Coordinates of all heavy atoms in Angstrom, one line a residue:
T967 N -76.3 -129.2 108.4 CA -76.0 -127.9 108.8 C -76.7 -126.7 108.0 O -76.8 -125.5 108.5 CB -74.5 -127.6 108.9 OG1 -74.0 -128.0 107.6 CG2 -73.9 -128.4 109.9
D968 N -77.1 -127.1 106.8 CA -77.9 -126.1 106.0 C -79.3 -125.7 106.6 O -79.9 -124.8 106.1 CB -77.9 -126.6 104.5 CG -76.6 -126.6 103.9 OD1 -75.7 -126.0 104.3 OD2 -76.5 -127.4 103.0
H969 N -79.9 -126.6 107.3 CA -81.2 -126.7 107.8 C -81.4 -126.5 109.3 O -82.4 -126.8 109.8 CB -82.0 -127.9 107.3 CG -81.9 -128.1 105.8 ND1 -82.9 -127.4 104.9 CD2 -81.1 -128.7 105.0 CE1 -82.5 -127.7 103.7 NE2 -81.5 -128.6 103.8
M970 N -80.2 -125.9 109.8 CA -80.3 -125.7 111.4 C -81.0 -124.6 111.6 O -81.1 -123.6 110.9 CB -78.8 -125.6 111.8 CG -78.0 -126.8 111.8 SD -78.4 -127.7 113.3 CE -77.9 -126.5 114.6
P971 N -81.8 -124.5 112.8 CA -82.2 -123.3 113.4 C -81.1 -122.4 113.8 O -80.0 -122.8 114.1 CB -83.1 -123.8 114.5 CG -82.4 -125.0 114.9 CD -81.9 -125.6 113.7
E972 N -81.4 -121.0 113.8 CA -80.4 -120.2 114.4 C -80.2 -120.4 115.9 O -81.1 -120.4 116.7 CB -80.8 -118.7 114.2 CG -79.8 -117.6 114.5 CD -80.2 -116.3 114.1 OE1 -81.2 -116.1 113.4 OE2 -79.4 -115.4 114.5
L973 N -78.9 -120.5 116.3 CA -78.6 -120.9 117.6 C -78.6 -119.7 118.5 O -78.1 -118.7 118.0 CB -77.4 -121.8 117.6 CG -77.4 -123.1 116.9 CD1 -76.0 -123.9 117.1 CD2 -78.5 -124.1 117.6
T974 N -78.7 -119.9 119.8 CA -78.5 -118.8 120.7 C -77.7 -119.5 121.9 O -77.6 -120.6 122.0 CB -79.8 -118.2 121.3 OG1 -80.5 -119.1 122.1 CG2 -80.8 -117.9 120.1
S975 N -77.4 -118.6 122.8 CA -76.6 -119.0 123.9 C -77.4 -119.8 125.0 O -76.9 -120.5 125.9 CB -76.0 -117.8 124.7 OG -77.0 -116.9 125.0
D976 N -78.8 -119.8 124.8 CA -79.7 -120.6 125.6 C -79.9 -122.0 125.1 O -80.4 -122.8 125.9 CB -81.1 -119.9 125.7 CG -81.0 -118.5 126.3 OD1 -80.2 -118.3 127.3 OD2 -81.9 -117.7 126.1
D977 N -79.4 -122.3 124.0 CA -79.6 -123.7 123.4 C -78.4 -124.6 123.9 O -77.3 -124.2 124.4 CB -79.4 -123.7 121.9 CG -80.5 -122.9 121.2 OD1 -81.6 -122.9 121.7 OD2 -80.3 -122.3 120.2
I978 N -78.7 -125.9 124.0 CA -77.9 -126.9 124.2 C -77.9 -127.9 122.9 O -78.9 -128.2 122.5 CB -78.0 -127.7 125.5 CG1 -76.9 -128.7 125.7 CG2 -79.4 -128.4 125.5 CD1 -77.0 -129.2 127.2
V979 N -76.7 -128.2 122.5 CA -76.6 -128.9 121.2 C -76.0 -130.3 121.3 O -75.0 -130.4 122.1 CB -75.9 -128.1 120.0 CG1 -75.9 -128.8 118.7 CG2 -76.5 -126.8 119.9
Y980 N -76.6 -131.4 120.8 CA -76.0 -132.6 120.7 C -75.9 -133.1 119.2 O -76.8 -132.9 118.5 CB -76.8 -133.7 121.5 CG -77.0 -133.3 123.0 CD1 -77.9 -132.6 123.3 CD2 -76.1 -133.8 124.0 CE1 -78.3 -132.3 124.8 CE2 -76.3 -133.6 125.3 CZ -77.4 -132.8 125.7 OH -77.6 -132.6 127.0
T981 N -74.8 -133.6 118.9 CA -74.6 -134.1 117.5 C -73.7 -135.3 117.3 O -72.9 -135.6 118.1 CB -74.1 -133.0 116.6 OG1 -73.9 -133.5 115.2 CG2 -72.7 -132.5 117.2
A982 N -74.2 -136.1 116.3 CA -73.3 -137.4 116.0 C -73.5 -137.7 114.6 O -74.6 -137.5 114.0 CB -73.8 -138.5 116.9
G983 N -72.4 -138.2 114.0 CA -72.4 -138.5 112.5 C -71.0 -138.2 112.0 O -70.0 -138.5 112.6
A984 N -71.1 -137.8 110.7 CA -69.9 -137.6 110.0 C -69.0 -136.5 110.7 O -69.5 -135.5 111.1 CB -70.3 -137.0 108.5
P985 N -67.7 -136.8 110.8 CA -66.8 -135.9 111.5 C -66.8 -134.4 111.0 O -66.8 -133.5 111.8 CB -65.4 -136.5 111.4 CG -65.7 -138.0 111.2 CD -67.1 -138.1 110.4
A986 N -66.9 -134.3 109.7 CA -67.0 -132.9 109.1 C -68.2 -132.1 109.7 O -68.1 -131.0 109.9 CB -66.8 -133.0 107.6
M987 N -69.3 -132.9 109.7 CA -70.6 -132.3 110.1 C -70.5 -131.9 111.5 O -70.8 -130.8 112.0 CB -71.8 -133.2 109.8 CG -73.1 -132.6 110.2 SD -73.6 -132.9 111.8 CE -73.8 -134.7 111.9
T988 N -70.0 -132.7 112.4 CA -70.0 -132.6 113.9 C -69.0 -131.4 114.2 O -69.2 -130.5 115.1 CB -69.7 -133.8 114.7 OG1 -68.4 -134.3 114.3 CG2 -70.7 -134.9 114.5
K989 N -68.0 -131.3 113.5 CA -66.9 -130.4 113.7 C -67.5 -128.9 113.2 O -67.4 -128.0 114.0 CB -65.7 -130.7 113.0 CG -64.5 -129.6 113.2 CD -63.2 -129.9 112.6 CE -62.1 -128.9 112.9 NZ -60.9 -129.3 112.3
A990 N -68.2 -129.0 112.2 CA -68.7 -127.6 111.7 C -69.9 -127.2 112.6 O -70.0 -125.9 112.9 CB -69.5 -127.9 110.3
L991 N -70.6 -128.1 113.1 CA -71.7 -127.8 114.1 C -71.2 -127.2 115.4 O -71.7 -126.3 116.0 CB -72.7 -128.9 114.3 CG -74.0 -128.7 115.2 CD1 -74.7 -127.5 114.6 CD2 -74.8 -129.9 115.2
A992 N -70.1 -127.9 115.9 CA -69.4 -127.5 117.2 C -68.9 -126.0 117.0 O -69.0 -125.2 117.9 CB -68.2 -128.4 117.5
T993 N -68.3 -125.7 115.8 CA -68.0 -124.4 115.6 C -69.1 -123.3 115.6 O -69.0 -122.3 116.2 CB -67.1 -124.3 114.2 OG1 -66.1 -125.1 114.3 CG2 -66.7 -122.8 113.9
T994 N -70.1 -123.7 114.9 CA -71.3 -122.8 114.9 C -71.9 -122.6 116.2 O -72.2 -121.4 116.6 CB -72.4 -123.4 114.0 OG1 -71.9 -123.7 112.7 CG2 -73.6 -122.5 113.9
A995 N -72.0 -123.7 117.0 CA -72.5 -123.5 118.4 C -71.6 -122.6 119.3 O -72.1 -121.8 120.0 CB -72.5 -124.9 119.1

C-alpha cells in the first residue's frame, strides 16, 4: 500500500493477500 498509484473513481481494483493489506486497500479505494 506504500507503493500504490493514486487512485481515482475511474479505476477498478483487485487485491488478494494478507487480510490487513486487502482491508486497507479496500478502504483507500
